[in-house]
Amino acid sequence: MALKTEPFVLNIGPLHPSTHGVFRLLATLDGEVVIDIEPIIGYLHRGIEKLAEEREYQKDIPLCDRLDYVAAMSHSMAYVMAVEKLLGISVPERAEYIRVIMVELQRIASHLLAVGSIANEIGTFFTPFMYMFRERERILDLFDMVCGQRLLYNYMRFGGVSHDLPEEFIPALAKFINQMPGYIDEYDQLLAENEILLVRTKGIGVLPPELAINCSVSGPTLRASGVARDIRRCDPYSIYDRFEFDIPTRTAGDCYDRYRQRIEEMRQSLRIIRQAVEQLPQGKVNSQVPIRVRPPQGDVFVHVEAPRGELGFYLVSDGSEKPYRFHIRAPSLINLTPLREMIIGWKLADAIVIFGSIDIIMGEIDR
Amino acid sequence: MQALSFDEIAGLISAKYAPEMVAPSQGSLVVGGEHLLEVASYLRGTPELDFDYLISVTAVDYRGHFEIVYHLTSLQHSHSLVLKVRCPQDKPVMPSVVSLWRGADLQEREVFDLMGVSFAGHPNLKRLFLWDGFKGYPLRKDYSSGT
Amino acid sequence: MEVGRERIYSAAELDAHEGALIEALRASSQQPVTDPDEWLQKELQRNVLVTSVDAVLNWSRRSSLWPVICFPACCAFEFIGASASRFDMSRFGMDILRGSPRQADLLITAGTLTWKMAPQVRRLYDQMAEPKWVIAMGACGITGGIFRDSYSVVPGYNRIVPVDVYVPGCPPRPEALLNGIEMLRQKINARSISTEGE
């Protein structure tokens, strides 16, 4: 005899340990199976776009740091690149190299957190997370050495970076990039063939490439579905065309692939950092741009490959000291578009893993 | 598998549509609001253009009219294009492109929420970030928070 | 298997209800809640007879502060950093982060508070069992910080809940947070059951 079932609505969040911040998920369940979900966001909407339009260009750099607080370097770099394009100024060689080193370190730090969270989500409460944090702290120490902050750096400036690297930075970085591959191998030993992780992630939450493209998904989530779109390669910015690195892709597009994708990208980032350190030239790190800038009228769109995907800044200048329009193309927000298709039909416990494997940051979604 | 420059794309478009429907201007195509869906499906469906990836949708308040800006790219040909559509301030309604690119879904809701431009044909057009009952559209230039 | 999809409330009704809650809380929270600092004046009134009881109670309270999860934004990562391997918050008996407010006695407000979020934080605080304490972490938690001018940001958690300890910084380093926790422990130590509940 088939049992009759009735759907019920389960509200998850906005404050919930597994929602990566203040995200609310209204799930309709039939037994344990999710039959409908509605993501509700905006609980961290701080109005950054409006605030940025009310402040001078220079004062918006700290706001950009606070967009994605796990990848502050990448975000402020994208913003200063957009303003530099508006102003038509160039950046000294050494500053370009320093920027690349910083954003690639930031990518590793961010992916460490993402991988740790996926492991958390499947129930290994905080054990792999602690391993990831051990290395993340070392990256934060490197940032601390350069700019005195652990999380929100305010290091990028129009026409370069705020100041040169301290003397002790390069030896410390060299030590780190020599040790990090060993640590990544250690994660693989712990996780890659782990029975529980395989059962909980293989084949779960498949994102087909056609859907991913149609939904404008970007970053590791897109590449795990087999689409090799990486802005560093398809629209090279800064000095990325000088480095040798691969764009790893996966084929299945499930949670396991999204986790593996991030591990591979960490290795590629290490390759880039190693080459950048070898080629690092001497010279100026800042091309004396006045603090108050007045870009000429016009609009500009700059996109970069942030750890979570394609981050874009659309700026409109009316010739005054403040941006007329300041828009952020936030990868985390747009990566949520196919969430319904990915989750519906899976059990509630899988929904949390699928959600975690997209790797979102609320600060960037809500802005 | 050939990337087209902006002039080539603009040439293809001008050959097909009258200038009052689509006009190239400063590196972007300015499209009339009522023709947006037609032009967009041409851009998406034509094999040599094949704009299959919508990067971003946003709106700018130019005091008097809104300008909706679409950034498109083609993964296969790796060329990109900017579409700009004007819409009057007193009647801020636009056709939704969600049927062509699902990626516009949350972004159009964001524009609706913060700029107050509604999109006809959007499947679930309601506030995204702000709560029900919030007065005004903060990204409009005449908005003041009253503090 | 056919499943019915009727709901008691439609999505629009739920949204309207939430919006009304937010607007009501916003209207009633235009002034800060007074910080609970009466322990400063009442220190002298402590009853000698209950000191041992006080000592035991306060020792147990300050040594097992269980924080509830309230991680809206940036500061959360410094909070997680403080509780992770290097800074090891467990030494203060704080290693268990509670997902449920009913099992927690400390609210660490790690991040910007928006009006949309405010009813939830208020409810979280109301659901915590007495005695309970609040640490406002970071510039946003204290005054709204860099986002103070925004149309949707609450200028400080003390509009919504009474705050015991303020930890400045944007974000505060884990050491600063640990210092704030140490201050709270001293504050708890100054409590007396003879003056509680007045």
Side-chain angles (χ1 to χ4, degrees):
Chain A
M1 188 185 82
L3 284 175
K4 267 172 73 176
T5 56
E6 245 180 30
F8 69 100
V9 178
L10 180 72
N11 179 53
I12 306 171
L15 275 175
H16 190 271
S18 64
T19 55
H20 295 236
V22 283
F23 183 85
R24 187 168 154 214
L25 209 55
L26 214 55
T28 311
L29 304 178
D30 178 23
E32 252 191 278
V33 179
V34 182
I35 55 172
D36 192 13
I37 61 149
E38 192 193 351
I40 301 173
I41 55 178
Y43 293 95
L44 190 57
H45 177 67
R46 298 160 292 188
I48 285 187
E49 292 187 3
K50 183 75 177 174
L51 288 175
E53 285 166 21
E54 287 171 349
R55 291 173 193 195
E56 286 85 358
Y57 284 92
Q58 186 84 13
K59 293 181 185 167
D60 292 341
I61 301 175
L63 283 176
C64 295
D65 279 341
R66 282 153 186 79
L67 270 175
D68 179 347
Y69 27 84
V70 183
M73 284 285 186
S74 317
H75 282 62
S76 43
M77 176 173 171
Y79 170 65
V80 297
M81 277 170 57
V83 177
E84 281 159 7
K85 197 169 166 188
L86 264 181
L87 288 167
I89 53 176
S90 60
V91 180
E93 283 278 292
R94 187 174 168 84
E96 291 276 25
Y97 278 92
I98 293 175
R99 282 183 182 181
V100 167
I101 293 172
M102 291 301 157
V103 295
E104 292 303 323
L105 276 175
Q106 184 78 82
R107 191 183 313 278
I108 298 174
S110 170
H111 282 352
L112 281 173
L113 195 79
V115 173
S117 315
I118 295 175
N120 245 3
E121 243 78 87
I122 63 169
T124 54
F125 195 65
F126 272 105
T127 310
F129 204 70
M130 292 289 172
Y131 279 90
M132 314 290 166
F133 253 77
R134 183 185 61 190
E135 274 69 71
R136 191 169 180 271
E137 285 288 336
R138 296 195 49 188
I139 301 178
L140 297 190
D141 276 351
L142 290 171
F143 286 144
D144 195 359
M145 213 180 264
V146 176
C147 42
Q149 252 274 30
R150 285 163 45 88
L151 205 64
L152 309 168
Y153 313 104
N154 195 17
Y155 184 53
M156 303 292 172
R157 290 288 184 281
F158 306 139
V161 293
S162 78
H163 50 269
D164 204 349
L165 300 172
E167 247 172 57
E168 65 271 25
F169 177 79
I170 293 293
L173 177 66
K175 198 174 160 199
F176 172 76
I177 50 179
N178 285 332
Q179 290 175 343
M180 190 64 198
Y183 289 130
I184 299 180
D185 292 341
E186 191 184 354
Y187 308 149
D188 278 355
Q189 280 170 15
L190 281 169
L191 295 173
E193 298 295 319
N194 184 305
E195 182 79 26
I196 303 172
L197 189 122
L198 287 174
V199 171
R200 289 295 307 278
T201 55
K202 272 260 178 192
I204 308 279
V206 175
L207 177 65
E210 305 79 37
L211 181 68
I213 293 172
N214 196 16
C215 290
S216 305
V217 172
S218 56
T221 315
L222 178 69
R223 291 191 286 275
S225 294
V227 184
R229 176 176 163 79
D230 188 312
I231 314 295
R232 290 175 292 176
R233 182 56 54 80
C234 73
D235 187 8
Y237 55 94
S238 187
I239 48 165
Y240 275 105
D241 46 354
R242 299 184 197 175
F243 303 119
E244 263 180 47
F245 61 101
D246 300 327
I247 306 294
T249 54
R250 308 283 299 179
T251 47
D254 55 6
C255 292
Y256 184 73
D257 274 6
R258 286 192 277 278
Y259 140 68
R260 292 302 307 167
Q261 176 70 27
R262 295 197 166 88
I263 295 277
E264 289 308 316
E265 289 192 6
M266 281 197 255
R267 294 187 201 275
Q268 297 302 327
S269 291
L270 281 174
R271 266 178 83 183
I272 298 175
I273 297 172
R274 196 167 286 135
Q275 294 170 46
V277 172
E278 278 165 14
Q279 302 171 12
L280 183 68
Q282 293 299 321
K284 286 194 304 177
V285 295
N286 206 326
S287 55
Q288 305 303 315
V289 178
I291 286 180
R292 296 204 148 202
V293 292
R294 286 169 182 274
Q297 282 192 1
D299 61 342
V300 67
F301 181 75
V302 165
H303 54 176
V304 303
E305 188 67 32
R308 276 166 197 78
E310 181 179 351
L311 168 77
F313 275 88
Y314 179 70
L315 300 182
V316 178
S317 165
D318 60 349
S320 71
E321 285 173 346
K322 299 172 183 175
Y324 186 75
R325 180 78 175 96
F326 179 100
H327 175 72
I328 306 139
R329 188 248 190 235
S332 293
L333 172 73
I334 298 164
N335 285 359
L336 282 180
T337 313
L339 190 67
R340 265 177 71 98
E341 280 84 347
M342 288 162 80
I343 287 185
I344 286 178
W346 293 102
K347 297 211 163 127
L348 183 63
D350 295 326
I352 299 299
V353 180
I354 297 166
F355 178 70
S357 71
I358 304 177
D359 183 28
I360 55 152
I361 283 293
M362 289 319 291
E364 188 188 44
I365 290 182
D366 288 347
R367 281 164 276 154
Chain B
M1 286 292 269
Q2 210 198 337
L4 302 178
S5 69
F6 173 73
D7 291 334
E8 287 169 314
I9 296 170
L12 271 175
I13 294 284
S14 327
K16 186 162 169 66
Y17 294 108
E20 61 269 19
M21 286 171 71
V22 189
S25 147
Q26 296 173 348
S28 58
L29 287 183
V30 178
V31 185
E34 61 273 30
H35 309 298
L36 173 68
L37 270 185
E38 194 188 335
V39 176
S41 35
Y42 173 71
L43 290 171
R44 176 149 169 59
T46 314
E48 63 264 37
L49 293 171
D50 192 26
F51 285 103
D52 52 355
Y53 193 92
L54 176 74
I55 299 179
S56 133
V57 179
T58 186
V60 189
D61 177 6
Y62 280 109
R63 291 195 176 91
H65 69 272
F66 294 111
E67 192 173 83
I68 321 290
V69 187
Y70 300 84
H71 286 87
L72 302 170
T73 190
S74 161
L75 296 192
Q76 206 192 350
H77 305 297
S78 66
H79 51 221
S80 38
L81 181 68
V82 185
L83 281 187
K84 290 183 176 173
V85 188
R86 294 205 173 157
C87 95
Q89 188 129 35
D90 48 344
K91 190 173 162 284
V93 184
M94 289 279 301
S96 166
V97 295
V98 174
S99 53
L100 293 167
W101 296 283
R102 276 274 314 277
D105 185 346
L106 291 171
Q107 305 186 64
E108 284 183 351
R109 273 180 71 184
E110 182 193 334
V111 172
F112 169 72
D113 187 0
L114 301 180
M115 196 68 93
V117 178
S118 43
F119 290 87
H122 190 285
N124 182 24
L125 195 66
K126 59 178 192 178
R127 290 217 148 190
L128 183 66
F129 295 138
L130 294 166
W131 54 93
D132 231 37
F134 185 90
K135 287 181 193 65
Y137 300 101
L139 283 184
R140 286 191 181 182
K141 288 290 166 190
D142 54 5
Y143 178 84
S144 80
S145 50
T147 50
Chain C
M1 186 168 56
E2 193 52 42
V3 185
R5 294 204 176 199
E6 305 87 52
R7 287 188 186 171
I8 303 174
Y9 297 106
S10 70
E13 282 170 322
L14 287 177
D15 286 349
H17 176 70
E18 190 189 359
L21 269 182
I22 294 166
E23 287 293 338
L25 185 70
R26 187 175 189 173
S28 66
S29 314
Q30 288 305 315
Q31 289 304 316
V33 182
T34 323
D35 299 338
D37 57 356
E38 67 282 354
W39 57 284
L40 292 170
Q41 289 85 36
K42 290 193 179 158
E43 210 166 4
L44 293 174
Q45 302 172 7
R46 277 211 264 159
N47 191 332
V48 182
L49 289 173
V50 291
T51 30
S52 316
V53 182
D54 277 347
V56 172
L57 266 181
N58 290 342
W59 168 76
S60 63
R61 281 172 177 168
R62 73 166 189 266
S63 310
S64 67
L65 284 169
W66 285 3
V68 65
I69 287 178
C70 173
F71 291 171
C74 333
C75 288
F77 288 91
E78 288 302 64
F79 181 81
I80 297 170
S83 59
S85 20
R86 182 197 259 178
F87 295 96
D88 190 20
M89 220 161 61
S90 313
R91 345 176 225 158
F92 305 107
M94 293 178 66
D95 49 341
I96 311 179
L97 297 183
R98 295 280 84 177
S100 164
R102 294 173 208 281
Q103 301 162 343
D105 40 23
L106 173 60
L107 178 71
I108 296 184
T109 64
T112 321
L113 184 66
T114 60
W115 285 112
K116 190 167 179 176
M117 192 63 206
Q120 270 80 8
V121 170
R122 178 72 223 184
R123 179 186 284 186
L124 202 69
Y125 180 77
D126 289 343
Q127 285 183 343
M128 287 163 65
E130 289 277 359
K132 54 192 172 188
W133 296 276
V134 179
I135 294 181
M137 181 179 179
C140 297
I142 298 172
T143 61
I146 189 170
F147 305 113
R148 189 185 169 86
D149 307 334
S150 170
Y151 49 85
S152 60
V153 170
V154 181
Y157 275 82
N158 59 7
R159 295 288 175 97
I160 304 295
V161 292
V163 176
D164 291 280
V165 175
Y166 295 88
V167 181
C170 189
R173 298 173 71 92
E175 296 95 319
L177 180 62
L178 295 182
N179 183 41
I181 290 168
E182 190 50 44
M183 283 166 71
L184 181 69
R185 283 157 61 87
Q186 286 169 13
K187 183 170 178 175
I188 295 171
N189 217 16
R191 281 175 75 107
S192 169
I193 50 166
S194 63
T195 53
E196 261 174 40
E198 282 176 10

